[in-house]
Amino acid sequence: MITVEQVRALAATLPRTSEHLIRDRVKFRVGSIVYVAFSQDETVMGFAFPKEERLALVESEPDKFHLPGESDMRFNWVHAWTAALDEAEMEELVTDAWRMVVPKKVAAARLGPQNG
């Protein structure tokens, strides 16, 4: 199980990230683009994820991942149950979500060049 505090600690190391509390929901963003957000009760973590890959992710582990509500399907977004994630998975999901919203130069400076 992962917590907001664990995500906060990681997000603090990712350049250009800011944390916001919007309608009692913790959100992490770069500029105006949210890349990770929690439900009010912190049982669900939403994160940026490529639209074309999200169905495969959800189908691969339906007890862990689920699609966002209908109104959010237009975004590059997936949800995960925080109780089903371990720290290593969270770190990969959050870092990949952050990488989607920052300039490639910023991501490469922090993580090294992206292969592929």
Side-chain angles (χ1 to χ4, degrees):
M1 175 173 179
I2 60 106
T3 65
V4 171
E5 289 73 27
Q6 289 171 298
V7 174
R8 180 177 289 127
L10 173 59
T13 71
L14 299 173
R16 301 189 184 186
T17 293
S18 59
E19 180 179 341
H20 302 269
L21 186 64
I22 301 168
R23 284 179 270 193
D24 294 326
R25 296 171 192 250
V26 176
K27 298 184 179 204
F28 297 92
R29 65 188 196 195
V30 171
S32 63
I33 303 173
V34 175
Y35 69 91
V36 171
F38 284 87
S39 61
Q40 287 180 323
D41 63 4
E42 299 179 4
T43 61
V44 175
M45 180 181 84
F47 54 96
F49 196 83
K51 280 185 198 179
E52 60 277 0
E53 297 174 23
R54 68 181 169 193
L55 192 56
L57 177 68
V58 169
E59 288 176 349
S60 72
E61 295 188 77
D63 293 339
K64 187 178 293 186
F65 301 107
H66 55 282
L67 294 173
E70 190 65 35
S71 64
D72 289 334
M73 288 296 285
R74 67 185 186 273
F75 301 115
N76 291 310
W77 204 250
V78 173
H79 288 168
W81 301 107
T82 55
L85 292 174
D86 64 30
E87 192 165 0
E89 288 172 310
M90 175 277 291
E91 288 175 0
E92 181 178 355
L93 294 170
V94 170
T95 302
D96 286 348
W98 170 81
R99 184 192 320 254
M100 286 180 65
V101 302
V102 294
K104 288 181 182 176
K105 241 171 111 169
V106 174
R110 169 67 168 74
L111 305 171
Q114 175 81 14
N115 294 332

